[in-house]
């Protein structure tokens, strides 16, 4: 007799288990910036070469542009958070067998722009023009969030 599927793929189940482990670690250790960055960089090191290069460059952009965001992992992916809430993340194409990698912004990024706006972006290559756009989005996410705290 076949077991009933719970609707999640094996990759999604693995990501959820990874997230549960991350949450336990955050509660146990209190997760300092250095710990979060070390875990993020360890996950980046496990990525295929092309994705690793993209993730390393994104890490450099985010840390240079938004020093108030804390590096961490989120569902096993590189992410950056404030007050424990993820603002943006990088999902390599290989994570779920996708055609392209994704740079995603959660609602905490507050990229609101009228009645409709993008919250995730397909990444095929990091050209200087793409890096400039990413830098602007990260600045906007930090600026919006910083101004909402006042």
């Amino acid at each position: 007799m076949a077991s009933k599927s719970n609707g999640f793929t094996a990759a999604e189940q693995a990501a959820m288990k990874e997230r549960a482990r991350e949450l336990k670690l955050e509660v146990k250790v209190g997760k300092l910036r250095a710990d979060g960055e070390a875990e993020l960089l360890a996950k980046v090191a496990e990525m295929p070469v092309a994705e690793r290069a993209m993730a390393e460059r994104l890490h450099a952009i985010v840390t240079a542009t938004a020093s108030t965001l804390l590096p961490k992992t989120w569902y096993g992916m590189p992410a950056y958070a404030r007050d424990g809430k993820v603002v943006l993340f990088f999902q390599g194409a290989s994570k779920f067998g996708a055609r392209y990698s994704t740079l995603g912004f959660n609602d905490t990024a507050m990229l609101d722009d009228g009645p409709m706006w993008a919250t995730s972006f397909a990444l095929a290559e990091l050209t200087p023009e793409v890096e400039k756009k990413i830098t602007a989005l990260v600045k906007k996410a930090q600026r919006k969030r910083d101004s909402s705290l006042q």
Side-chain angles (χ1 to χ4, degrees):
M1 184 170 166
S3 65
K4 189 175 180 179
S5 169
N6 66 4
F8 294 107
T9 67
E12 290 167 333
Q13 289 175 353
M16 288 186 286
K17 286 178 184 177
E18 184 101 23
R19 182 63 183 140
R21 184 190 64 74
E22 293 163 355
L23 287 171
K24 286 178 186 175
L25 183 62
E26 286 178 13
V27 169
K28 256 185 191 174
V29 184
K31 221 147 165 59
L32 302 170
R33 176 181 290 275
D35 294 336
E37 186 166 37
E39 188 170 354
L40 179 148
L41 293 174
K43 286 296 180 185
V44 168
E46 295 172 3
M47 293 178 172
V49 176
E51 290 174 18
R52 184 179 332 130
M54 234 187 265
E56 288 170 345
R57 186 65 195 124
L58 283 170
H59 179 66
I61 291 168
V62 174
T63 55
T65 305
S67 62
T68 59
L69 298 180
L70 297 177
K72 62 182 283 162
T73 58
W74 188 55
Y75 295 98
M77 298 176 286
Y80 302 86
R82 179 172 308 122
D83 302 328
K85 295 180 181 179
V86 171
V87 175
L88 66 114
F89 63 91
F90 173 73
Q91 178 182 304
S94 64
K95 182 74 175 178
F96 297 113
R99 194 167 63 100
Y100 48 79
S101 294
T102 303
L103 174 63
F105 292 84
N106 284 338
D107 60 340
T108 53
M110 301 169 74
L111 296 180
D112 308 36
D113 185 18
M116 183 175 146
W117 56 90
T119 58
S120 65
F121 301 85
L123 290 177
E125 181 183 2
L126 287 182
T127 64
E129 181 181 323
V130 170
E131 289 184 14
K132 192 174 182 179
K133 288 179 183 179
I134 290 169
T135 300
L137 286 167
V138 171
K139 281 181 181 178
K140 183 175 182 180
Q142 179 171 290
R143 187 172 45 251
K144 289 272 186 168
R145 181 74 175 126
D146 287 345
S147 66
S148 73
L149 296 173
Q150 297 173 358

